[in-house]
Amino acid sequence: MEKTYSIVFYSKPVVDTVKEMKDLLKSKINWYNSCNSEAHITICEFKIDESQIDSVKQKLIKICDTFTPSQAYLDHFGSYDNAGAFFIAPNEETKNNLKPIMKKIHETLKSLNLKKSDDPHMSIARRLTPENLKIASQLFTTINIDFLCNEIVLREFDPVKKQFFVLDSIGFGSNPEPEFVQGSLF
């Protein structure tokens, strides 16, 4: 059976902090897209037959072994006006640390039909009207949260609850791939 999966950066303490923000926004504008989803930074989303998920996990374990943990800092808000998205954004250093990881995961899973995210951000709300986007940006003006980014999380979509749930987490191994060095015979 085909299922929908996503790969994300995820931190439980951050989830709780952002939930409070989402609930406050919901109290001002009522229900909105992603008001009930747990905070995360999307890397990609894909649909595959559930029989293939173990193969995907093995690829992710192998690539994650090469990643080194780093502190992630989210220090400002942003929006994608065309999508009505309001989000928490990482600082430049964090963005520069996360982007290569995201790119390597995209390359590792390129045989799948990925819905990729190339710009690391943590959504608070999606598909807001321009008026509600303005309310969100007036409600939230400063942010300073951080977490140790030392794993990725594989999630599965529950079509009944219409939410993703954590399937597995895959830690970073701090074992960079050895560089290929051209040897000399003489």
Side-chain angles (χ1 to χ4, degrees):
M1 186 171 111
E2 191 173 76
K3 292 187 175 183
T4 302
Y5 299 92
S6 72
I7 300 169
V8 302
F9 297 111
Y10 178 94
S11 165
K12 192 59 181 153
V14 172
V15 165
D16 296 338
T17 301
V18 175
K19 178 164 180 16
E20 289 175 23
M21 296 169 70
K22 287 179 175 234
D23 289 347
L24 178 60
L25 182 59
K26 191 175 174 184
S27 75
K28 303 287 184 200
I29 66 171
N30 296 318
W31 185 92
Y32 58 88
N33 278 281
S34 76
C35 65
N36 295 320
S37 84
E38 290 191 323
H40 61 278
I41 297 173
T42 301
I43 299 170
C44 62
E45 195 176 297
F46 54 93
K47 289 182 181 183
I48 57 170
D49 189 273
E50 64 184 316
S51 65
Q52 296 175 277
I53 197 63
D54 284 335
S55 168
V56 169
K57 271 195 222 177
Q58 290 312 308
K59 288 178 182 178
L60 292 172
I61 288 167
K62 188 174 180 188
I63 193 71
C64 283
D65 189 49
T66 69
F67 300 144
T68 301
S70 64
Q71 203 66 23
Y73 297 94
L74 296 109
D75 64 358
H76 63 284
F77 294 100
S79 63
Y80 298 128
D81 295 342
N82 59 339
F86 186 74
F87 57 84
I88 305 168
N91 66 12
E92 268 319 294
E93 183 183 348
T94 298
K95 198 180 264 201
N96 293 337
N97 288 337
L98 297 181
K99 276 187 167 188
I101 293 171
M102 294 166 78
K103 190 174 179 188
K104 275 197 172 178
I105 290 170
H106 296 159
E107 288 169 6
T108 300
L109 302 178
K110 67 181 173 224
S111 65
L112 305 176
N113 185 17
L114 296 180
K115 203 160 93 180
K116 299 184 238 178
S117 172
D118 297 316
D119 187 29
H121 64 281
M122 187 173 286
S123 292
I124 292 177
R126 295 180 296 118
R127 297 188 206 127
L128 293 179
T129 63
E131 302 82 65
N132 285 345
L133 199 54
K134 186 176 180 188
I135 290 169
S137 64
Q138 290 171 340
L139 199 56
F140 305 112
T141 55
T142 60
I143 186 80
N144 190 6
I145 53 180
D146 66 282
F147 66 96
L148 180 62
C149 183
N150 61 352
E151 65 182 7
I152 59 167
V153 171
L154 177 64
R155 305 182 314 162
E156 182 180 316
F157 187 71
D158 180 333
V160 176
K161 291 184 177 176
K162 302 216 179 300
Q163 293 293 327
F164 282 95
F165 63 91
V166 173
L167 200 59
D168 209 349
S169 58
I170 302 166
F172 296 171
S174 301
N175 293 310
E177 294 175 279
E179 301 267 336
F180 178 74
V181 179
Q182 181 69 47
S184 172
L185 293 173
F186 305 101

PDB file of all heavy atoms in Angstrom, residues 7-8 28 52 59 77 95 97 101 121 128 133-134 150-151 153 163 167 180:
ATOM      1  N   ILE A   7      10.646  13.617   5.721  1.00  0.00           N
ATOM      2  CA  ILE A   7      11.899  13.620   6.475  1.00  0.00           C
ATOM      3  C   ILE A   7      12.085  15.056   6.943  1.00  0.00           C
ATOM      4  O   ILE A   7      11.984  16.000   6.150  1.00  0.00           O
ATOM      5  CB  ILE A   7      13.083  13.171   5.603  1.00  0.00           C
ATOM      6  CG1 ILE A   7      12.832  11.743   5.092  1.00  0.00           C
ATOM      7  CG2 ILE A   7      14.388  13.246   6.397  1.00  0.00           C
ATOM      8  CD1 ILE A   7      13.798  11.289   4.021  1.00  0.00           C
ATOM      9  N   VAL A   8      12.343  15.209   8.241  1.00  0.00           N
ATOM     10  CA  VAL A   8      12.396  16.541   8.838  1.00  0.00           C
ATOM     11  C   VAL A   8      13.496  16.638   9.887  1.00  0.00           C
ATOM     12  O   VAL A   8      13.972  15.626  10.407  1.00  0.00           O
ATOM     13  CB  VAL A   8      11.040  16.918   9.501  1.00  0.00           C
ATOM     14  CG1 VAL A   8       9.896  16.871   8.501  1.00  0.00           C
ATOM     15  CG2 VAL A   8      10.727  16.022  10.702  1.00  0.00           C
ATOM     16  N   LYS A  28      -6.574  33.939  17.929  1.00  0.00           N
ATOM     17  CA  LYS A  28      -6.824  35.233  17.286  1.00  0.00           C
ATOM     18  C   LYS A  28      -7.542  35.104  15.941  1.00  0.00           C
ATOM     19  O   LYS A  28      -8.345  35.952  15.589  1.00  0.00           O
ATOM     20  CB  LYS A  28      -5.507  35.989  17.055  1.00  0.00           C
ATOM     21  CG  LYS A  28      -4.692  36.218  18.292  1.00  0.00           C
ATOM     22  CD  LYS A  28      -5.301  37.266  19.178  1.00  0.00           C
ATOM     23  CE  LYS A  28      -4.399  37.550  20.375  1.00  0.00           C
ATOM     24  NZ  LYS A  28      -5.090  38.177  21.474  1.00  0.00           N
ATOM     25  N   GLN A  52       8.809  -0.477   0.738  1.00  0.00           N
ATOM     26  CA  GLN A  52      10.093   0.132   0.373  1.00  0.00           C
ATOM     27  C   GLN A  52      10.710   0.959   1.494  1.00  0.00           C
ATOM     28  O   GLN A  52      11.855   1.397   1.370  1.00  0.00           O
ATOM     29  CB  GLN A  52       9.912   1.048  -0.845  1.00  0.00           C
ATOM     30  CG  GLN A  52       9.488   0.339  -2.103  1.00  0.00           C
ATOM     31  CD  GLN A  52       9.223   1.360  -3.206  1.00  0.00           C
ATOM     32  OE1 GLN A  52       8.140   1.936  -3.285  1.00  0.00           O
ATOM     33  NE2 GLN A  52      10.228   1.616  -4.024  1.00  0.00           N
ATOM     34  N   LYS A  59      19.292   3.719   3.475  1.00  0.00           N
ATOM     35  CA  LYS A  59      20.004   4.803   2.776  1.00  0.00           C
ATOM     36  C   LYS A  59      20.189   5.994   3.711  1.00  0.00           C
ATOM     37  O   LYS A  59      21.247   6.631   3.723  1.00  0.00           O
ATOM     38  CB  LYS A  59      19.230   5.236   1.529  1.00  0.00           C
ATOM     39  CG  LYS A  59      19.266   4.230   0.404  1.00  0.00           C
ATOM     40  CD  LYS A  59      18.438   4.712  -0.773  1.00  0.00           C
ATOM     41  CE  LYS A  59      18.436   3.666  -1.882  1.00  0.00           C
ATOM     42  NZ  LYS A  59      17.595   4.079  -3.011  1.00  0.00           N
ATOM     43  N   PHE A  77      11.495  35.905  12.183  1.00  0.00           N
ATOM     44  CA  PHE A  77      10.313  35.417  11.481  1.00  0.00           C
ATOM     45  C   PHE A  77      10.403  35.802  10.018  1.00  0.00           C
ATOM     46  O   PHE A  77      11.101  36.745   9.647  1.00  0.00           O
ATOM     47  CB  PHE A  77       9.038  36.015  12.095  1.00  0.00           C
ATOM     48  CG  PHE A  77       8.778  35.550  13.497  1.00  0.00           C
ATOM     49  CD1 PHE A  77       9.100  36.355  14.580  1.00  0.00           C
ATOM     50  CD2 PHE A  77       8.223  34.310  13.735  1.00  0.00           C
ATOM     51  CE1 PHE A  77       8.871  35.921  15.881  1.00  0.00           C
ATOM     52  CE2 PHE A  77       7.983  33.861  15.031  1.00  0.00           C
ATOM     53  CZ  PHE A  77       8.311  34.673  16.106  1.00  0.00           C
ATOM     54  N   LYS A  95      21.459  28.091   8.567  1.00  0.00           N
ATOM     55  CA  LYS A  95      21.015  27.822   7.205  1.00  0.00           C
ATOM     56  C   LYS A  95      22.142  27.165   6.398  1.00  0.00           C
ATOM     57  O   LYS A  95      21.928  26.190   5.679  1.00  0.00           O
ATOM     58  CB  LYS A  95      20.590  29.138   6.541  1.00  0.00           C
ATOM     59  CG  LYS A  95      19.719  28.967   5.326  1.00  0.00           C
ATOM     60  CD  LYS A  95      19.340  30.307   4.734  1.00  0.00           C
ATOM     61  CE  LYS A  95      17.995  30.729   5.242  1.00  0.00           C
ATOM     62  NZ  LYS A  95      17.336  31.720   4.387  1.00  0.00           N
ATOM     63  N   ASN A  97      24.536  25.395   7.588  1.00  0.00           N
ATOM     64  CA  ASN A  97      24.770  24.040   8.103  1.00  0.00           C
ATOM     65  C   ASN A  97      23.688  23.062   7.626  1.00  0.00           C
ATOM     66  O   ASN A  97      23.975  21.897   7.360  1.00  0.00           O
ATOM     67  CB  ASN A  97      24.801  24.036   9.636  1.00  0.00           C
ATOM     68  CG  ASN A  97      26.052  24.680  10.196  1.00  0.00           C
ATOM     69  OD1 ASN A  97      27.079  24.766   9.526  1.00  0.00           O
ATOM     70  ND2 ASN A  97      25.975  25.144  11.428  1.00  0.00           N
ATOM     71  N   ILE A 101      23.037  19.314   4.259  1.00  0.00           N
ATOM     72  CA  ILE A 101      22.424  18.073   4.737  1.00  0.00           C
ATOM     73  C   ILE A 101      21.166  17.789   3.919  1.00  0.00           C
ATOM     74  O   ILE A 101      20.951  16.676   3.450  1.00  0.00           O
ATOM     75  CB  ILE A 101      22.099  18.164   6.253  1.00  0.00           C
ATOM     76  CG1 ILE A 101      23.394  18.245   7.067  1.00  0.00           C
ATOM     77  CG2 ILE A 101      21.233  16.977   6.700  1.00  0.00           C
ATOM     78  CD1 ILE A 101      23.191  18.549   8.543  1.00  0.00           C
ATOM     79  N   HIS A 121      13.175  26.308   7.102  1.00  0.00           N
ATOM     80  CA  HIS A 121      12.295  27.178   7.890  1.00  0.00           C
ATOM     81  C   HIS A 121      11.341  26.306   8.695  1.00  0.00           C
ATOM     82  O   HIS A 121      11.112  25.154   8.357  1.00  0.00           O
ATOM     83  CB  HIS A 121      11.506  28.133   6.989  1.00  0.00           C
ATOM     84  CG  HIS A 121      10.557  27.418   6.076  1.00  0.00           C
ATOM     85  ND1 HIS A 121      10.960  26.796   4.911  1.00  0.00           N
ATOM     86  CD2 HIS A 121       9.230  27.209   6.167  1.00  0.00           C
ATOM     87  CE1 HIS A 121       9.912  26.240   4.328  1.00  0.00           C
ATOM     88  NE2 HIS A 121       8.843  26.471   5.073  1.00  0.00           N
ATOM     89  N   LEU A 128      -2.402  31.327   4.850  1.00  0.00           N
ATOM     90  CA  LEU A 128      -3.115  32.400   5.538  1.00  0.00           C
ATOM     91  C   LEU A 128      -3.563  33.443   4.514  1.00  0.00           C
ATOM     92  O   LEU A 128      -2.895  33.662   3.508  1.00  0.00           O
ATOM     93  CB  LEU A 128      -2.195  33.092   6.556  1.00  0.00           C
ATOM     94  CG  LEU A 128      -1.742  32.305   7.774  1.00  0.00           C
ATOM     95  CD1 LEU A 128      -0.819  33.158   8.639  1.00  0.00           C
ATOM     96  CD2 LEU A 128      -2.927  31.817   8.600  1.00  0.00           C
ATOM     97  N   LEU A 133      -2.056  36.914   7.735  1.00  0.00           N
ATOM     98  CA  LEU A 133      -0.592  36.970   7.680  1.00  0.00           C
ATOM     99  C   LEU A 133      -0.107  38.222   8.418  1.00  0.00           C
ATOM    100  O   LEU A 133       0.861  38.175   9.178  1.00  0.00           O
ATOM    101  CB  LEU A 133      -0.135  36.979   6.215  1.00  0.00           C
ATOM    102  CG  LEU A 133       1.297  36.603   5.910  1.00  0.00           C
ATOM    103  CD1 LEU A 133       1.675  35.255   6.502  1.00  0.00           C
ATOM    104  CD2 LEU A 133       1.506  36.564   4.396  1.00  0.00           C
ATOM    105  N   LYS A 134      -0.830  39.313   8.227  1.00  0.00           N
ATOM    106  CA  LYS A 134      -0.493  40.574   8.902  1.00  0.00           C
ATOM    107  C   LYS A 134      -0.684  40.419  10.418  1.00  0.00           C
ATOM    108  O   LYS A 134       0.154  40.867  11.201  1.00  0.00           O
ATOM    109  CB  LYS A 134      -1.362  41.712   8.352  1.00  0.00           C
ATOM    110  CG  LYS A 134      -0.984  43.061   8.898  1.00  0.00           C
ATOM    111  CD  LYS A 134      -1.805  44.176   8.271  1.00  0.00           C
ATOM    112  CE  LYS A 134      -1.361  45.507   8.862  1.00  0.00           C
ATOM    113  NZ  LYS A 134      -2.207  46.600   8.467  1.00  0.00           N
ATOM    114  N   ASN A 150      20.991  16.973  15.704  1.00  0.00           N
ATOM    115  CA  ASN A 150      21.863  15.802  15.727  1.00  0.00           C
ATOM    116  C   ASN A 150      21.189  14.565  15.143  1.00  0.00           C
ATOM    117  O   ASN A 150      21.665  13.440  15.331  1.00  0.00           O
ATOM    118  CB  ASN A 150      22.334  15.515  17.158  1.00  0.00           C
ATOM    119  CG  ASN A 150      21.186  15.216  18.106  1.00  0.00           C
ATOM    120  OD1 ASN A 150      20.016  15.355  17.742  1.00  0.00           O
ATOM    121  ND2 ASN A 150      21.522  14.809  19.313  1.00  0.00           N
ATOM    122  N   GLU A 151      20.065  14.786  14.441  1.00  0.00           N
ATOM    123  CA  GLU A 151      19.340  13.679  13.832  1.00  0.00           C
ATOM    124  C   GLU A 151      18.336  14.213  12.822  1.00  0.00           C
ATOM    125  O   GLU A 151      18.045  15.409  12.799  1.00  0.00           O
ATOM    126  CB  GLU A 151      18.596  12.872  14.902  1.00  0.00           C
ATOM    127  CG  GLU A 151      17.485  13.668  15.589  1.00  0.00           C
ATOM    128  CD  GLU A 151      16.776  12.900  16.696  1.00  0.00           C
ATOM    129  OE1 GLU A 151      17.205  11.785  17.044  1.00  0.00           O
ATOM    130  OE2 GLU A 151      15.778  13.430  17.216  1.00  0.00           O
ATOM    131  N   VAL A 153      14.344  13.028  11.331  1.00  0.00           N
ATOM    132  CA  VAL A 153      13.204  12.226  11.751  1.00  0.00           C
ATOM    133  C   VAL A 153      12.405  11.831  10.514  1.00  0.00           C
ATOM    134  O   VAL A 153      12.129  12.657   9.657  1.00  0.00           O
ATOM    135  CB  VAL A 153      12.328  13.005  12.763  1.00  0.00           C
ATOM    136  CG1 VAL A 153      11.020  12.291  13.039  1.00  0.00           C
ATOM    137  CG2 VAL A 153      13.097  13.207  14.066  1.00  0.00           C
ATOM    138  N   GLN A 163      -2.402  14.106   9.913  1.00  0.00           N
ATOM    139  CA  GLN A 163      -1.167  14.591  10.535  1.00  0.00           C
ATOM    140  C   GLN A 163      -0.070  13.544  10.351  1.00  0.00           C
ATOM    141  O   GLN A 163      -0.352  12.356  10.235  1.00  0.00           O
ATOM    142  CB  GLN A 163      -1.360  14.819  12.035  1.00  0.00           C
ATOM    143  CG  GLN A 163      -2.291  15.933  12.406  1.00  0.00           C
ATOM    144  CD  GLN A 163      -1.762  17.300  12.040  1.00  0.00           C
ATOM    145  OE1 GLN A 163      -0.564  17.558  12.063  1.00  0.00           O
ATOM    146  NE2 GLN A 163      -2.668  18.191  11.667  1.00  0.00           N
ATOM    147  N   LEU A 167       7.975   8.127  12.888  1.00  0.00           N
ATOM    148  CA  LEU A 167       8.179   6.704  12.635  1.00  0.00           C
ATOM    149  C   LEU A 167       9.526   6.266  13.196  1.00  0.00           C
ATOM    150  O   LEU A 167       9.639   5.226  13.820  1.00  0.00           O
ATOM    151  CB  LEU A 167       8.137   6.474  11.119  1.00  0.00           C
ATOM    152  CG  LEU A 167       7.874   5.102  10.578  1.00  0.00           C
ATOM    153  CD1 LEU A 167       6.534   4.572  11.059  1.00  0.00           C
ATOM    154  CD2 LEU A 167       7.883   5.139   9.049  1.00  0.00           C
ATOM    155  N   PHE A 180      38.359  10.962  -1.612  1.00  0.00           N
ATOM    156  CA  PHE A 180      39.125  10.098  -2.490  1.00  0.00           C
ATOM    157  C   PHE A 180      40.404  10.829  -2.867  1.00  0.00           C
ATOM    158  O   PHE A 180      40.369  11.954  -3.349  1.00  0.00           O
ATOM    159  CB  PHE A 180      38.336   9.756  -3.758  1.00  0.00           C
ATOM    160  CG  PHE A 180      39.115   8.911  -4.715  1.00  0.00           C
ATOM    161  CD1 PHE A 180      39.333   7.570  -4.448  1.00  0.00           C
ATOM    162  CD2 PHE A 180      39.647   9.465  -5.871  1.00  0.00           C
ATOM    163  CE1 PHE A 180      40.077   6.782  -5.315  1.00  0.00           C
ATOM    164  CE2 PHE A 180      40.389   8.693  -6.747  1.00  0.00           C
ATOM    165  CZ  PHE A 180      40.601   7.345  -6.482  1.00  0.00           C
TER     166      PHE A 180
END
